[in-house]
Amino acid sequence: MIIVMKTGVTTEQIEEVVSFVKSLGAQTHVDRGEVQTVIGIIGEKAEILRKPWGSFTGVEKVLEVSDPFKLASRKFHPTDTVVEIEGVKIGGGNRCVIAGPCSIDTEENAMLIAKSVKAAGAQMFRGGAFKPRTSPYTFQGSGETGLKILENVKKETGLPIVTEVMSIDQIDLISRYADVIQVGARNMQNFNLLKELGRRKIPVLLKNGIASTAKEHLMSAEYVMSEGLKDVIICLRGVRSYETAMRNSLDVALIPYLQHLSHLPVVVDSSHSTGLRSYVSPVAYAGMAAGADGLILEVHPNPKEALSDGEQALLPRDFEYLMQRLENLTAWDQKEWNKIEKSKK
Amino acid sequence: MIIVMKTGVTTEQIEEVVSFVKSLGAQTHVDRGEVQTVIGIIGEKAEILRKPWGSFTGVEKVLEVSDPFKLASRKFHPTDTVVEIEGVKIGGGNRCVIAGPCSIDTEENAMLIAKSVKAAGAQMFRGGAFKPRTSPYTFQGSGETGLKILENVKKETGLPIVTEVMSIDQIDLISRYADVIQVGARNMQNFNLLKELGRRKIPVLLKNGIASTAKEHLMSAEYVMSEGLKDVIICLRGVRSYETAMRNSLDVALIPYLQHLSHLPVVVDSSHSTGLRSYVSPVAYAGMAAGADGLILEVHPNPKEALSDGEQALLPRDFEYLMQRLENLTAWDQKEWNKIEKSKK
Amino acid sequence: MIIVMKTGVTTEQIEEVVSFVKSLGAQTHVDRGEVQTVIGIIGEKAEILRKPWGSFTGVEKVLEVSDPFKLASRKFHPTDTVVEIEGVKIGGGNRCVIAGPCSIDTEENAMLIAKSVKAAGAQMFRGGAFKPRTSPYTFQGSGETGLKILENVKKETGLPIVTEVMSIDQIDLISRYADVIQVGARNMQNFNLLKELGRRKIPVLLKNGIASTAKEHLMSAEYVMSEGLKDVIICLRGVRSYETAMRNSLDVALIPYLQHLSHLPVVVDSSHSTGLRSYVSPVAYAGMAAGADGLILEVHPNPKEALSDGEQALLPRDFEYLMQRLENLTAWDQKEWNKIEKSKK
Amino acid sequence: MIIVMKTGVTTEQIEEVVSFVKSLGAQTHVDRGEVQTVIGIIGEKAEILRKPWGSFTGVEKVLEVSDPFKLASRKFHPTDTVVEIEGVKIGGGNRCVIAGPCSIDTEENAMLIAKSVKAAGAQMFRGGAFKPRTSPYTFQGSGETGLKILENVKKETGLPIVTEVMSIDQIDLISRYADVIQVGARNMQNFNLLKELGRRKIPVLLKNGIASTAKEHLMSAEYVMSEGLKDVIICLRGVRSYETAMRNSLDVALIPYLQHLSHLPVVVDSSHSTGLRSYVSPVAYAGMAAGADGLILEVHPNPKEALSDGEQALLPRDFEYLMQRLENLTAWDQKEWNKIEKSKK
């Protein structure tokens, strides 16, 4: 961590910072430049980082050197995490496609979709029983009825279940049905929820926030992991932008970037990033090309009747076509590139 | 609500939409333009709005005509809401300044700040006992100990208490101490929390989300109000932007805009919008100039020792100076302008 | 175009709008809803759209129905534009990779890069002689010396030349050397420059603005095309975001989206979108997977010595590896999907 | 400037950076931390800053310590710049209001507006003869005819003229009529234009870019100043955001921030930031409350007939009312606050 002092800083102002750092148990190194003086802090600790350095009269700004996440960081855990859910693996070269409706409506529809996506190659089934909605006047989810439908789907098809939790009081109930618990964009920084999930044993699929950065996304994974759970799947669903063409904006560069910073698997949700059926497949395809560890997609046989987000649902035949195309796709392999890099040096 | 059909739409595609609208109990009006056909829907209902219109093959896009909030809307409640908290009024011409530390640390500090801000003219005391923090490794709040300090502050100074809730399970505890319950940016779309607060009787101060729009902010107020509670205070704390000069970006134009759309009081939190002590006061001052109903500000006598956000805390002397300046400020009065407008027509 | 009137609008206010529309030579259709009245305008013209409707006291808002671009629109030109440059084709199924250094430094380097990218499969050579830089104190380009180096490169390798223009007064000079003239992000809305280029005969590669929308990008293409030139290549280089991981944020969904709205070819510049060598290739690969018509990439044999943007330059061996991988990539074909869609209806 | 090395960096990799810095004529200081090694560079120069440090295999990232602008910086020019235009002063405590129509249409209208804004207290007249418009099919400005109308307005009223330039070839013509030359948002990074204006003697009013940062805005001022001209007025017109309530988003915190970083005067354009007449005045008022050195506003007697941007034009009576209110406004004085700060230490 580096503290940049203001132009014209006095010796007293420098001393004030130096002695404060010492009182926190760390060392400093002072560099007096011609224009500006810089104080390096050796032995960076979280507590030091969070001190209100801007309150010192001589301080202009503080530059962080290292990232604030540890358990989620590849620096401290160089090998890929492989999350295993009832025999289905994701991460470390294992690719996995999760598919199903946005909301669970009827058992008939759920079963039909599950069978169709399984036949096409999906390895897990997704479906929301509790739904976060911007308006209190729209459909809020089918609740426990929906969870029981998911249970039947699993019995019938064998597909593990991914479903969303919205608040701490739902965790016990959902845990009885879910194989992976999904945390949605609006809850990415619901820290109490994250910590409580970290104390359980069910893998968490963590979507990025509406306007989060990749590092904040990993900090939220860190919240879960700091309580003990290691199985976190990072899910990219795009962020808000001034571009109105798509519902959200998803930068595929974040796939290799997150895989570089972290050992956790990264999946792409192009249903929510685009919000429009026509663009779900090309973005899913591009995400896998960029090296994603998997996809989570919405499929509905009759989107006009879907209780939520019907506009972004793929038809079963779209999903089937996408899965066929994916079979012949060679993904970009960043690790292979890294190896070539090293060997050629 | 208006449905714009694609170029070259067929009569069957138009008929498909029209008959679906009719099945939902609403009327249509079809306008066949030279280039594009447009279907107007008369008798707009929330359910119709949320149907997946994009799934119809002939539909290009849907344009919303009216806003999705009702209880928070000035259209349905033309007079200003005045929230009254133990004799302190906010809204409808009553301005109110809330001040206190970001986090409650010691009782000594809390008492010192409370007395100093009261002497300077503050009418309510703010202080966090539960803190949402991006990193799990930083101070997470003093919990119930902090709440008891708040209780003592109220006994000693008479200032009503504003404090933040982070999750549903904290509501009962916090309700015993808080006169106003604050919902932070990260929880603006924690819909279960909003609904539970709406079932209680304690006024809610609702901050905007990290990247929310003004209308989404009102939709979240609608969540609270749809459960019965009428006393919601809208709080602007800025939104995320690519500008790194300030922590967030706060557009003061949203003050008169929100007051135009809604009857709820609007307060400004320039501590969180700027994140830097030097800019807290000018923005607070400008917010009041633009017609805000109040301020919520962080004050700490020794920011270097503050447990969180020390960099944005005003010193008691800064706060005193600001309050003195505010006494002589004539705020912009949008309603007066509206009157002049009407009289001159 | 649709005009939404305010709640409680008077008959006079409606009449005022209706008669104004008539005076402009268009027809109206008035729909009086229970809550709001809506006026549809039949025979939409650009002049009508741009009138200050918000100035009418009864008007709440205006909703546009059709897009403001015509010549760039697929609606009016359904087949793909194929731009042909000295035998190299781009668009309509013809994929094309453009590569070269950011800035032209020495002839030796330029020649070395050109030969290496040609050997790897590049079909055009890019290199900047005039450079827009945020700081006046950094390298501003090699000017005409650079252009002469480009001429020699073309003579030696046969690769057509793509180079950037920064202002109208450079057009004549650059036209003597360039086969494609590039317009950079900062000039996307330099309308005088666009119009002047539209009067010439040299194809234009038009990058999106720093924070432009896809439709504004097409409007800028429209500026060029409205003066006569038909050969415009749309280039995506990402937009500004609060995410600091990458230099810019590039949503690959815009590739099929732009190809849907427009008949012009779309290429991806992942050197500028990521700004970091490690992520240039995976994004380029994903862009092609999503169906882009081509790439424009920066390559330099010794990035440490590059006069600008060295951090984002691929090494020749990176480029070679990428080109090999691209050979085996099956791109997503949105048109094929469209066909399947239609046949299954 | 500080170079942060990757975890596990080798001595060779450190040495590579150190010797490269030395070859550029600067000194280094190497700090080997437990986790990361940091290299400080003493004697920061622009050339060093712009080297492609990311290309060195051992480098993780580079942290800038000082700002890249010099002539625009208050560090090197501590006293306020006062721009003086035919006796009208702006900056250093001199406040100035510039008003007039967006575009010049008829001489009659221009004269009527000029007389009315002068009577209300405006000190300069603004009006566009050349207009940048997103669509090629909308009104592009009245050109030289408009400039001649401006000349007559000045003769009649004595008000100095502010008008916009769009390209280098217009400078000579516009210079004959303009007292201040305005550079619009789309040209903020048209560096050739900025440099050419810097070689002339007419003060420049420089608007921020559509999505620029405050520091980039000052870098563009630096472009003008690096060629010799000292009289630059910084103008804030808001930036693009996902919030659709206003045309742009203007953070008033940037007023004191820019005044802190730079000695140049800062004015607010709330006509373009809000885009809606109802919100122009409260934002203008708040901007002056926050300490702006002036305003630039659009006024039109009959906005429905304005050739561009009629929706954001104030009526003469709005402007008059605003000017009356401004007379009684005590602006926030950041320098006074600074003095109190220093005296109390």
Side-chain angles (χ1 to χ4, degrees):
Chain A
M1 184 183 140
I2 288 141
I3 295 176
V4 180
M5 305 300 286
K6 288 179 186 158
T7 321
V9 69
T10 65
T11 310
E12 288 71 34
Q13 288 172 322
I14 294 172
E15 192 43 44
E16 187 187 27
V17 170
V18 167
S19 62
F20 187 61
V21 173
K22 280 185 187 157
S23 78
L24 298 166
Q27 301 300 313
T28 57
H29 176 88
V30 181
D31 245 340
R32 288 175 166 277
E34 277 162 74
V35 183
Q36 271 172 309
T37 293
V38 161
I39 303 176
I41 298 185
I42 301 149
E44 189 160 336
K45 298 174 190 171
E47 313 92 85
I48 296 179
L49 215 75
R50 300 292 157 182
K51 289 290 168 190
W53 294 105
S55 305
F56 287 78
T57 54
V59 172
E60 183 169 314
K61 61 181 165 187
V62 168
L63 305 171
E64 292 193 25
V65 170
S66 42
D67 292 323
F69 42 89
K70 308 285 173 205
L71 298 168
S73 170
R74 198 177 275 280
K75 280 185 190 163
F76 300 93
H77 185 300
T79 58
D80 287 348
T81 281
V82 179
V83 178
E84 193 168 342
I85 304 121
E86 311 232 331
V88 176
K89 288 180 184 172
I90 181 161
N94 302 285
R95 294 201 168 74
C96 170
V97 176
I98 307 164
C102 178
S103 305
I104 293 299
D105 42 37
T106 65
E107 178 154 344
E108 199 188 340
N109 268 336
M111 210 62 88
L112 195 149
I113 299 169
K115 287 176 184 169
S116 117
V117 299
K118 188 185 177 184
Q123 288 154 282
M124 290 205 262
F125 186 70
R126 61 146 291 153
F130 297 99
K131 302 298 304 173
R133 306 299 300 275
T134 305
S135 165
Y137 307 124
T138 48
F139 176 66
Q140 305 274 318
S142 53
E144 192 164 4
T145 313
L147 293 174
K148 283 180 180 156
I149 295 174
L150 289 170
E151 189 173 38
N152 292 339
V153 164
K154 187 179 172 184
K155 265 186 212 155
E156 185 87 9
T157 61
L159 293 173
I161 299 299
V162 182
T163 197
E164 180 166 352
V165 69
M166 280 177 66
S167 57
I168 291 178
D169 59 300
Q170 295 170 349
I171 297 179
D172 283 337
L173 176 64
I174 289 173
S175 296
R176 271 178 261 141
Y177 301 92
D179 298 298
V180 174
I181 297 184
Q182 176 180 318
V183 175
R186 293 179 187 79
N187 279 315
M188 189 199 87
Q189 294 197 319
N190 185 337
F191 300 125
N192 291 31
L193 179 66
L194 298 177
K195 285 198 280 191
E196 189 55 38
L197 289 170
R199 292 180 200 117
R200 311 297 179 104
K201 299 210 177 326
I202 303 175
V204 167
L205 183 141
L206 179 64
K207 293 198 175 182
N208 65 268
I210 288 166
S212 61
T213 64
K215 288 194 175 176
E216 286 171 348
H217 199 176
L218 291 178
M219 282 308 295
S220 287
E222 189 82 10
Y223 255 98
V224 176
M225 298 174 83
S226 69
E227 297 290 330
L229 184 68
K230 299 299 170 223
D231 290 341
V232 178
I233 300 162
I234 296 293
C235 175
L236 291 174
R237 45 78 80 201
V239 291
R240 178 156 280 182
S241 136
Y242 42 76
E243 173 61 77
T244 54
M246 300 294 136
R247 186 186 279 193
N248 293 291
S249 179
L250 193 159
D251 187 356
V252 291
L254 297 179
I255 300 166
Y257 177 75
L258 282 161
Q259 288 168 335
H260 173 71
L261 286 187
S262 176
H263 50 88
L264 298 171
V266 176
V267 303
V268 167
D269 172 0
S270 59
S271 301
H272 283 89
S273 72
T274 63
L276 290 168
R277 180 177 159 236
S278 307
Y279 306 111
V280 171
S281 293
V283 176
Y285 193 75
M288 292 306 279
D293 296 292
L295 297 172
I296 177 163
L297 295 173
E298 292 183 9
V299 176
H300 200 283
N302 193 351
K304 290 170 206 168
E305 288 172 8
L307 293 171
S308 61
D309 285 344
E311 293 179 8
Q312 70 197 34
L314 293 177
L315 294 172
R317 69 171 182 256
D318 297 327
F319 181 74
E320 198 189 324
Y321 178 65
L322 171 64
M323 293 299 282
Q324 286 165 7
R325 298 298 297 257
L326 282 175
E327 262 176 46
N328 298 316
L329 175 75
T330 321
W332 181 262
D333 189 339
Q334 193 71 356
K335 279 173 208 156
E336 201 182 318
W337 180 76
N338 290 341
K339 266 182 232 159
I340 294 168
E341 280 297 295
K342 281 191 185 157
S343 72
K344 289 203 177 163
K345 258 172 222 163
Chain B
M1 187 182 138
I2 289 140
I3 297 175
V4 181
M5 305 300 286
K6 289 179 186 159
T7 319
V9 68
T10 65
T11 310
E12 289 70 35
Q13 287 171 323
I14 295 172
E15 192 42 46
E16 187 187 26
V17 170
V18 168
S19 61
F20 187 60
V21 173
K22 280 186 188 158
S23 78
L24 297 166
Q27 302 300 313
T28 57
H29 176 88
V30 181
D31 245 341
R32 288 177 165 275
E34 277 162 74
V35 182
Q36 271 171 311
T37 293
V38 161
I39 303 176
I41 298 185
I42 301 150
E44 189 161 333
K45 299 176 189 169
E47 314 92 84
I48 296 179
L49 215 74
R50 302 292 157 181
K51 289 292 168 188
W53 295 105
S55 307
F56 287 78
T57 53
V59 172
E60 183 169 314
K61 61 181 166 188
V62 168
L63 305 170
E64 292 193 25
V65 170
S66 41
D67 293 323
F69 42 90
K70 308 285 173 206
L71 299 168
S73 169
R74 199 176 275 281
K75 279 185 192 163
F76 300 93
H77 185 300
T79 58
D80 287 348
T81 282
V82 179
V83 178
E84 193 168 342
I85 305 120
E86 310 230 333
V88 176
K89 287 179 183 173
I90 182 162
N94 304 284
R95 296 200 166 74
C96 171
V97 176
I98 306 163
C102 179
S103 304
I104 294 299
D105 41 38
T106 65
E107 179 154 342
E108 199 188 339
N109 269 336
M111 210 63 89
L112 195 149
I113 299 168
K115 286 177 184 171
S116 117
V117 298
K118 188 185 177 184
Q123 289 154 280
M124 291 206 261
F125 186 71
R126 59 146 292 151
F130 297 99
K131 303 297 307 172
R133 306 300 300 275
T134 306
S135 164
Y137 306 125
T138 50
F139 175 67
Q140 306 274 318
S142 53
E144 194 165 3
T145 313
L147 293 174
K148 283 181 180 155
I149 294 174
L150 289 171
E151 188 173 39
N152 291 339
V153 164
K154 188 180 171 183
K155 264 187 212 155
E156 185 86 8
T157 63
L159 293 174
I161 299 300
V162 183
T163 197
E164 181 166 351
V165 69
M166 281 178 65
S167 58
I168 290 179
D169 59 302
Q170 295 169 350
I171 297 179
D172 282 336
L173 176 65
I174 288 173
S175 295
R176 273 181 257 138
Y177 300 93
D179 298 299
V180 174
I181 297 184
Q182 175 181 317
V183 176
R186 292 179 187 80
N187 277 316
M188 190 199 86
Q189 294 197 320
N190 185 335
F191 300 125
N192 291 32
L193 179 66
L194 297 178
K195 285 197 279 190
E196 189 54 39
L197 289 170
R199 292 181 200 118
R200 311 296 178 106
K201 298 210 177 324
I202 303 175
V204 168
L205 183 141
L206 180 64
K207 294 198 175 183
N208 65 268
I210 288 166
S212 62
T213 64
K215 288 194 175 177
E216 286 171 348
H217 199 177
L218 291 178
M219 281 309 294
S220 287
E222 188 83 10
Y223 256 99
V224 176
M225 298 175 83
S226 69
E227 296 291 329
L229 184 68
K230 298 299 170 221
D231 291 341
V232 179
I233 301 163
I234 296 293
C235 176
L236 292 174
R237 46 77 81 200
V239 291
R240 178 156 280 182
S241 137
Y242 43 75
E243 172 61 77
T244 54
M246 300 295 134
R247 184 186 280 192
N248 292 292
S249 179
L250 193 158
D251 187 356
V252 290
L254 297 179
I255 299 167
Y257 177 76
L258 282 162
Q259 289 168 335
H260 173 72
L261 285 187
S262 176
H263 50 88
L264 298 171
V266 177
V267 303
V268 167
D269 172 0
S270 60
S271 301
H272 284 88
S273 71
T274 63
L276 291 167
R277 181 178 158 235
S278 308
Y279 306 111
V280 172
S281 293
V283 175
Y285 192 75
M288 292 306 279
D293 296 292
L295 298 171
I296 178 162
L297 296 173
E298 291 184 9
V299 176
H300 200 284
N302 193 351
K304 290 169 204 168
E305 289 173 6
L307 293 170
S308 61
D309 285 344
E311 292 178 9
Q312 70 198 34
L314 292 177
L315 295 172
R317 69 169 183 259
D318 297 328
F319 182 71
E320 198 190 324
Y321 178 65
L322 171 64
M323 293 300 281
Q324 285 166 8
R325 297 298 299 257
L326 282 175
E327 262 177 46
N328 298 316
L329 175 77
T330 320
W332 181 262
D333 189 339
Q334 193 73 354
K335 280 172 208 158
E336 201 181 319
W337 180 76
N338 289 342
K339 267 183 231 158
I340 293 167
E341 282 296 295
K342 281 191 184 159
S343 71
K344 290 203 178 164
K345 256 171 224 162
Chain C
M1 185 182 139
I2 288 141
I3 296 177
V4 181
M5 305 300 286
K6 289 180 185 158
T7 320
V9 69
T10 64
T11 310
E12 288 71 34
Q13 287 171 323
I14 295 173
E15 193 41 45
E16 187 187 25
V17 170
V18 168
S19 61
F20 188 61
V21 173
K22 279 185 188 157
S23 77
L24 298 166
Q27 300 300 312
T28 57
H29 176 89
V30 181
D31 244 339
R32 289 177 164 274
E34 278 162 74
V35 182
Q36 269 170 312
T37 294
V38 161
I39 303 175
I41 298 185
I42 301 150
E44 189 159 336
K45 299 176 190 169
E47 314 92 83
I48 297 179
L49 215 75
R50 302 290 157 185
K51 288 292 167 189
W53 294 105
S55 306
F56 287 78
T57 54
V59 172
E60 183 170 314
K61 60 182 166 189
V62 168
L63 304 170
E64 291 193 25
V65 169
S66 41
D67 293 322
F69 42 90
K70 308 285 173 206
L71 299 169
S73 169
R74 198 177 277 280
K75 280 184 192 164
F76 300 92
H77 185 299
T79 57
D80 287 347
T81 282
V82 179
V83 178
E84 195 169 341
I85 305 120
E86 311 230 334
V88 176
K89 287 180 184 173
I90 181 160
N94 303 285
R95 295 201 167 74
C96 169
V97 177
I98 306 164
C102 179
S103 304
I104 294 298
D105 41 36
T106 65
E107 178 153 344
E108 197 188 341
N109 269 336
M111 211 61 91
L112 196 150
I113 300 168
K115 286 176 183 170
S116 118
V117 299
K118 188 185 178 185
Q123 289 154 280
M124 290 204 261
F125 186 71
R126 59 147 291 152
F130 297 98
K131 301 298 304 173
R133 306 300 300 275
T134 306
S135 165
Y137 306 124
T138 49
F139 176 66
Q140 307 274 318
S142 53
E144 193 163 3
T145 314
L147 293 174
K148 283 180 180 157
I149 294 174
L150 289 171
E151 188 173 40
N152 291 340
V153 165
K154 187 179 171 183
K155 265 186 212 155
E156 184 87 9
T157 62
L159 293 174
I161 298 300
V162 183
T163 197
E164 182 167 350
V165 71
M166 281 177 67
S167 57
I168 291 178
D169 58 301
Q170 295 169 350
I171 296 179
D172 282 338
L173 176 64
I174 289 174
S175 296
R176 271 179 261 139
Y177 301 92
D179 299 297
V180 175
I181 297 185
Q182 176 180 318
V183 175
R186 294 178 187 80
N187 277 318
M188 189 199 86
Q189 293 197 321
N190 185 335
F191 300 126
N192 292 30
L193 179 66
L194 298 177
K195 285 197 281 191
E196 189 55 38
L197 289 170
R199 291 182 201 115
R200 312 296 178 107
K201 298 210 177 325
I202 304 175
V204 167
L205 183 141
L206 179 64
K207 294 199 175 185
N208 65 269
I210 287 167
S212 62
T213 63
K215 288 194 175 176
E216 287 171 348
H217 199 175
L218 291 179
M219 281 308 296
S220 287
E222 188 82 9
Y223 255 99
V224 176
M225 298 174 83
S226 69
E227 297 291 330
L229 184 68
K230 298 300 171 220
D231 290 341
V232 178
I233 301 162
I234 296 294
C235 175
L236 292 173
R237 46 78 80 201
V239 290
R240 178 156 280 183
S241 137
Y242 42 76
E243 173 61 79
T244 54
M246 298 296 135
R247 183 186 280 193
N248 293 292
S249 180
L250 192 158
D251 188 355
V252 290
L254 297 180
I255 300 166
Y257 177 75
L258 282 162
Q259 288 168 335
H260 173 71
L261 286 188
S262 176
H263 49 88
L264 298 171
V266 176
V267 303
V268 167
D269 172 0
S270 59
S271 301
H272 284 89
S273 71
T274 64
L276 290 167
R277 179 176 160 237
S278 307
Y279 306 111
V280 172
S281 293
V283 175
Y285 192 74
M288 292 305 279
D293 296 292
L295 297 171
I296 177 163
L297 296 172
E298 292 183 10
V299 176
H300 201 281
N302 193 351
K304 290 170 206 169
E305 287 172 9
L307 292 172
S308 61
D309 286 343
E311 293 179 9
Q312 71 197 33
L314 293 177
L315 295 171
R317 68 171 184 257
D318 298 327
F319 181 73
E320 196 189 325
Y321 178 65
L322 171 65
M323 293 299 282
Q324 285 166 6
R325 296 298 297 256
L326 282 175
E327 263 177 45
N328 298 315
L329 174 77
T330 320
W332 182 261
D333 188 339
Q334 193 72 353
K335 279 173 210 157
E336 199 181 321
W337 180 76
N338 290 341
K339 268 182 230 157
I340 294 168
E341 281 297 295
K342 282 192 185 156
S343 70
K344 289 203 178 163
K345 256 171 225 163
Chain D
M1 187 182 137
I2 289 141
I3 296 176
V4 180
M5 305 299 286
K6 288 179 185 159
T7 319
V9 68
T10 64
T11 310
E12 288 71 33
Q13 287 171 323
I14 294 172
E15 194 41 46
E16 187 187 25
V17 171
V18 168
S19 61
F20 186 61
V21 174
K22 280 186 187 156
S23 78
L24 297 166
Q27 301 300 312
T28 57
H29 176 88
V30 180
D31 244 341
R32 287 175 166 276
E34 279 163 72
V35 183
Q36 270 171 312
T37 293
V38 161
I39 303 175
I41 298 185
I42 301 151
E44 189 159 334
K45 298 175 191 170
E47 314 91 84
I48 296 179
L49 215 75
R50 302 292 156 183
K51 289 291 170 190
W53 295 105
S55 306
F56 287 78
T57 54
V59 172
E60 184 170 312
K61 60 181 164 189
V62 169
L63 304 170
E64 292 193 24
V65 170
S66 41
D67 293 322
F69 42 90
K70 308 283 174 207
L71 299 169
S73 169
R74 199 177 275 281
K75 280 185 191 164
F76 300 93
H77 185 301
T79 58
D80 288 347
T81 282
V82 179
V83 178
E84 196 170 339
I85 305 120
E86 312 233 331
V88 176
K89 288 179 183 174
I90 181 160
N94 303 285
R95 295 198 167 77
C96 170
V97 176
I98 305 163
C102 179
S103 305
I104 294 298
D105 41 37
T106 65
E107 178 154 343
E108 198 188 341
N109 269 336
M111 210 62 89
L112 195 149
I113 299 168
K115 286 176 184 172
S116 117
V117 299
K118 189 186 177 184
Q123 289 153 280
M124 291 205 262
F125 186 72
R126 61 147 290 152
F130 297 99
K131 303 298 304 174
R133 306 301 300 276
T134 305
S135 164
Y137 306 125
T138 50
F139 176 66
Q140 307 273 321
S142 52
E144 193 163 4
T145 313
L147 293 174
K148 283 180 180 156
I149 294 174
L150 288 170
E151 188 173 41
N152 292 340
V153 165
K154 188 179 171 184
K155 265 186 212 155
E156 184 88 8
T157 63
L159 293 173
I161 298 300
V162 183
T163 197
E164 181 166 350
V165 70
M166 281 178 66
S167 58
I168 291 179
D169 59 301
Q170 294 169 349
I171 297 179
D172 283 337
L173 176 65
I174 288 173
S175 295
R176 272 180 259 141
Y177 300 93
D179 299 297
V180 174
I181 297 185
Q182 175 180 318
V183 176
R186 293 179 187 79
N187 277 317
M188 190 200 85
Q189 294 197 319
N190 185 335
F191 300 126
N192 291 31
L193 179 66
L194 297 177
K195 285 197 280 192
E196 189 54 37
L197 288 171
R199 291 180 201 118
R200 311 298 178 105
K201 297 210 179 324
I202 303 175
V204 168
L205 183 141
L206 179 64
K207 295 200 174 184
N208 65 268
I210 286 168
S212 62
T213 64
K215 289 194 176 177
E216 286 171 349
H217 198 175
L218 291 178
M219 282 308 296
S220 287
E222 189 82 9
Y223 256 99
V224 176
M225 299 174 83
S226 69
E227 297 291 331
L229 184 67
K230 298 300 171 222
D231 291 340
V232 178
I233 301 163
I234 296 294
C235 175
L236 292 174
R237 45 79 79 202
V239 290
R240 178 156 279 183
S241 137
Y242 43 76
E243 172 62 77
T244 54
M246 299 295 135
R247 185 185 280 192
N248 293 291
S249 179
L250 192 159
D251 187 356
V252 290
L254 297 179
I255 300 166
Y257 176 76
L258 282 161
Q259 289 169 336
H260 173 72
L261 287 187
S262 175
H263 50 87
L264 298 171
V266 176
V267 303
V268 167
D269 172 1
S270 59
S271 301
H272 284 89
S273 71
T274 64
L276 291 167
R277 179 177 159 239
S278 307
Y279 305 111
V280 172
S281 293
V283 175
Y285 192 75
M288 292 306 280
D293 297 292
L295 297 171
I296 178 163
L297 295 173
E298 291 183 9
V299 176
H300 199 283
N302 193 351
K304 289 168 206 168
E305 288 172 8
L307 293 171
S308 60
D309 285 343
E311 293 180 8
Q312 70 198 33
L314 293 177
L315 295 172
R317 68 169 183 258
D318 297 327
F319 182 72
E320 196 189 325
Y321 178 65
L322 171 65
M323 293 300 282
Q324 285 165 7
R325 296 300 296 259
L326 282 175
E327 263 177 44
N328 297 315
L329 175 76
T330 321
W332 181 262
D333 188 339
Q334 192 72 354
K335 280 173 208 157
E336 200 182 319
W337 180 76
N338 290 342
K339 268 182 229 159
I340 294 168
E341 281 297 296
K342 281 192 185 156
S343 71
K344 291 204 175 163
K345 256 172 222 160

